[in-house]
Amino acid sequence: MIEIKNLTKKYGQVVAVNNISFNVNKGEILGFLGPNGAGKSTTMNIITGYLPSTSGTVKVDGYDIMTHPAEVKRRIGYLPEAPPLYRDMTVTEYLKFVSNLNYVPKKKQKGQMADIMELVGLTDHRKRLVDNLSKGYRQRVGLAQALIGNPEVLILDEPTVGLDPRQIIEIRRVIKALAKERTIILSSHILPEVSAICERVVIINKGVIVAEDTPERLSMGLDRAMKLSITIVGPKDKVIEAVKKIDGVKYMEASSKTGENAYKYMLESQTEEDIREKLFFAMAENGWPIIEIKPSVMTLEDIFISVVTKGQEVQ
Amino acid sequence: MFTVAKKEIATYFKSPIAYILIGLFLLMISILFWTPFSAGSGDFMIVLENMGFFLIFLVPILTMRILAEDRKNGTEVLLLTSPTSLTKIVIGKFIAMYFVFLVITVISLIYPLIMVRFGGVFTVQLAGGYLGFLLLGASFVAVGVFASALTENQVISAIISFVALLVMWMAGAFSAEVGGFLGTLLSWISLLSRYDIFTRGILGLPEIIYFLSFTTLFIFLTIRVIERRRWIQG
């Protein structure tokens, strides 16, 4: 649905986005992750046709943004970092204006606006001036604006920034509901948000893509090994010896004593292969009960930091 | 195009700015109007000529926010990422500004009508003079819209268009003094000398074409400036 190829954007001497390429498939939610100033907003501004790229191509549904801007813009709903609102208009007036900008037929406007306001929870606020709305509601108006014209693609730049936790959950719910029939790119520097919503994550730092995968696979660690934290009741040395005999175990070490005869171990497998079953039967054979198995996953935070700092070391 | 125009017109009449401008302009005309009227002259052309001069102050205030504000508030993103083309957006904005100008002009018609009521004659010349005023207004508004595209600061935009209009107003007077190439250049941008033709009661086709081309040129330049800015920075 969205193809980005060798995209570069320079502001004078400063390279904001450096030769990035990625695709987003139809119906997918892609998380676009990076620290502030990594080039997320610039990339989004280019995809939506607000800024021209220095080089490289962006295609949406097969249309190139440079040669067919109107076709692309018709297919994209964009919520920029700061919602582009006119404060002297009421919510309804504003959405009507956006409908006209997007050439929504007059007959359809009312119904569509009502549906969208219902979806994002603005129905009760439709007659209020944008100026008098709280930040959370303004964000909703911004989201509603992006949905006008029923675009197939949504580009959301930090859609939950500045909202309170309840509103964040609410907006995420809305985004997930939208995702059923749309392709979405969502940027954020808040990691749990991305792992909560997105099917795939692209991490960008200093204008370069540093990682790209599903949140789960990224969480397994970049070296693709499975890490477990286990507690087994049994003689320490014998347990280690027995576990190391299991196929695929790369590393096993006792980390602490947690009870009489019970030890906590750190275990790492060689591959992505799940060794928990084998582990269970091996221990059962010996009569050493496993009282805890916890996959020790890297949180996206860990990944993010490791990826970003790795990038710095290379430089 | 009309979507943008309608929205902008609504914005102006919802805020006090349109009313303040109308009031201000009427006040200026009233003072001007007093002069020939008290002298017992029925010649409105002098007033009309000075009305042109007051536009130099009025138009920059009118147009200063039209594009600058969108840039400052980030609503420019909404406009530029919508399927509506930049040309339509800019023309829509120009139409809105010209509409406000038309409202002011129509209200100013009270004064010639007062004259007619008290024995003056609404002549063809006067109608021609008003046509000149409408054309002059279009050129001024186009310059104002252009200045608003140059900056996101409304005050700076107003100053730019004010200075530009003032230079164009006085260029004719200087062109004869300076002479040579610069003189020719100044005479090209001299709006006053063209406007004078109308206020003298002559309906000049070249002048009509001049004002229309001038307006078109500045609308075109506005579009180019916005395009160019997007290429240069973000």
Side-chain angles (χ1 to χ4, degrees):
Chain A
M1 194 68 190
I2 306 171
E3 296 166 51
I4 294 161
K5 226 184 232 165
N6 306 329
L7 190 71
T8 298
K9 175 73 182 176
K10 289 180 190 162
Y11 296 126
Q13 293 297 312
V14 184
V15 183
V17 174
N18 192 359
N19 199 25
I20 67 170
S21 305
F22 63 90
N23 291 335
V24 190
N25 303 322
K26 208 176 170 111
E28 191 177 29
I29 312 185
L30 180 87
F32 202 44
L33 205 65
N36 294 325
K40 300 187 300 275
S41 294
T42 302
T43 308
M44 292 184 142
N45 278 333
I46 294 170
I47 299 171
T48 53
Y50 178 55
L51 289 177
S53 59
T54 309
S55 64
T57 55
V58 174
K59 278 184 186 169
V60 175
D61 205 7
Y63 291 100
D64 191 313
I65 183 73
M66 296 305 282
T67 54
H68 298 84
E71 290 296 334
V72 173
K73 288 171 184 178
R74 209 183 295 269
R75 285 167 171 75
I76 293 182
Y78 182 30
L79 171 64
E81 208 170 345
L85 307 176
Y86 288 106
R87 297 183 159 211
D88 60 334
M89 295 173 120
T90 65
V91 173
T92 309
E93 281 171 347
Y94 173 71
L95 292 180
K96 194 157 183 263
F97 173 62
V98 178
S99 301
N100 284 327
L101 277 181
N102 283 286
Y103 300 113
V104 178
K106 286 264 185 297
K107 280 186 217 157
K108 281 191 185 169
Q109 285 185 7
K110 251 196 170 158
Q112 190 179 86
M113 275 162 53
D115 291 346
I116 290 170
M117 285 194 281
E118 192 62 48
L119 181 72
V120 300
L122 272 174
T123 310
D124 296 337
H125 294 74
R126 65 184 183 278
K127 286 177 185 162
R128 292 187 52 184
L129 278 181
V130 171
D131 201 24
N132 296 338
L133 294 176
S134 68
K135 191 161 183 186
Y137 275 98
R138 281 188 200 156
Q139 194 73 22
R140 289 177 199 222
V141 179
L143 186 60
Q145 165 273 123
L147 296 173
I148 293 276
N150 207 9
E152 297 157 62
V153 177
L154 286 178
I155 311 274
L156 310 173
D157 197 352
E158 310 213 349
T160 58
V161 75
L163 303 184
D164 69 41
R166 203 177 48 87
Q167 291 169 326
I168 290 177
I169 292 168
E170 179 71 15
I171 291 277
R172 280 186 198 159
R173 184 190 61 77
V174 171
I175 293 171
K176 273 200 159 168
L178 291 170
K180 283 176 192 139
E181 50 219 79
R182 288 182 182 81
T183 308
I184 299 179
I185 299 184
L186 178 141
S187 87
S188 184
H189 61 269
I190 310 160
L191 308 159
E193 173 163 297
V194 170
S195 50
I197 310 180
C198 302
E199 293 154 17
R200 200 153 59 90
V201 181
V202 168
I203 301 179
I204 179 173
N205 186 40
K206 294 189 174 166
V208 186
I209 293 180
V210 286
E212 183 184 348
D213 217 326
T214 62
E216 292 78 28
R217 284 165 61 104
L218 281 173
S219 303
M220 276 188 181
L222 298 165
D223 46 4
R224 296 277 175 272
M226 186 178 203
K227 289 185 183 121
L228 295 175
S229 159
I230 47 180
T231 309
I232 298 168
V233 182
K236 191 169 78 174
D237 295 335
K238 282 186 178 167
V239 168
I240 293 179
E241 200 181 311
V243 170
K244 279 191 172 165
K245 278 186 194 149
I246 301 170
D247 250 1
V249 174
K250 187 170 123 195
Y251 170 82
M252 169 85 167
E253 195 186 52
S255 61
S256 60
K257 190 172 178 173
T258 58
E260 203 182 327
N261 222 13
Y263 294 89
K264 195 169 194 165
Y265 304 88
M266 291 304 292
L267 186 153
E268 207 177 311
S269 74
Q270 235 145 17
T271 55
E272 284 172 52
E273 192 193 356
D274 195 340
I275 55 164
R276 282 175 292 184
E277 268 183 45
K278 284 185 194 162
L279 179 71
F280 170 82
F281 288 117
M283 294 301 108
E285 235 171 63
N286 291 302
W288 300 322
I290 301 175
I291 55 175
E292 188 191 14
I293 296 190
K294 206 169 74 185
S296 152
V297 292
M298 279 174 97
T299 62
L300 272 177
E301 256 97 358
D302 303 330
I303 298 159
F304 188 65
I305 287 163
S306 85
V307 157
V308 167
T309 46
K310 215 185 267 172
Q312 278 161 349
E313 279 160 20
V314 171
Q315 281 169 354
Chain B
M1 194 157 87
F2 291 108
T3 302
V4 175
K6 249 165 65 187
K7 187 246 145 206
E8 290 300 335
I9 291 167
T11 302
Y12 269 84
F13 286 99
K14 255 192 275 176
S15 74
I17 187 156
Y19 305 101
I20 291 172
L21 283 178
I22 291 170
L24 204 67
F25 197 58
L26 289 181
L27 180 72
M28 286 170 173
I29 302 173
S30 306
I31 295 165
L32 283 175
F33 184 61
W34 180 250
T35 328
F37 203 57
S38 62
S41 156
D43 188 5
F44 192 70
M45 288 308 215
I46 298 164
V47 180
L48 203 57
E49 195 184 324
N50 286 307
M51 270 164 66
F53 181 66
F54 281 140
L55 281 186
I56 295 176
F57 302 93
L58 192 80
V59 169
I61 302 170
L62 175 72
T63 56
M64 65 182 186
R65 59 157 287 280
I66 191 72
L67 289 162
E69 194 178 65
D70 274 313
R71 204 166 141 200
K72 180 142 196 154
N73 291 350
T75 40
E76 188 187 57
V77 184
L78 173 71
L79 299 175
L80 293 182
T81 59
S82 79
T84 305
S85 71
L86 179 60
T87 308
K88 282 184 179 168
I89 291 163
V90 170
I91 294 176
K93 298 251 179 193
F94 171 79
I95 291 173
M97 292 298 87
Y98 197 59
F99 180 82
V100 179
F101 167 77
L102 281 183
V103 170
I104 296 174
T105 310
V106 168
I107 296 173
S108 81
L109 279 172
I110 297 169
Y111 294 97
L113 289 177
I114 291 173
M115 255 175 189
V116 172
R117 171 70 184 77
F118 291 100
V121 191
F122 195 91
T123 55
V124 180
Q125 278 87 350
L126 188 57
Y130 253 99
L131 175 68
F133 186 68
L134 292 178
L135 289 168
L136 182 76
S139 305
F140 275 28
V141 168
V143 172
V145 171
F146 172 71
S148 189
L150 295 176
T151 163
E152 58 173 47
N153 185 314
Q154 297 190 18
V155 176
I156 293 175
S157 138
I159 292 170
I160 293 173
S161 50
F162 172 70
V163 171
L165 291 176
L166 201 64
V167 167
M168 287 167 186
W169 191 255
M170 301 194 303
F174 286 124
S175 71
E177 301 285 329
V178 178
F181 174 71
L182 192 62
T184 321
L185 201 71
L186 283 172
S187 76
W188 280 347
I189 60 164
S190 168
L191 294 173
L192 177 63
S193 56
R194 268 95 184 176
Y195 183 53
D196 269 348
I197 310 273
F198 288 95
T199 53
R200 266 187 247 134
I202 304 161
L203 202 62
L205 187 62
E207 281 71 30
I208 294 177
I209 293 169
Y210 173 84
F211 278 122
L212 291 179
S213 328
F214 189 92
T215 307
T216 315
L217 174 71
F218 270 91
I219 293 175
F220 173 74
L221 286 178
T222 307
I223 297 165
R224 294 303 307 154
V225 159
I226 298 173
E227 277 290 343
R228 205 178 128 71
R229 198 186 64 226
R230 288 170 60 213
W231 281 94
I232 291 172
Q233 43 106 45

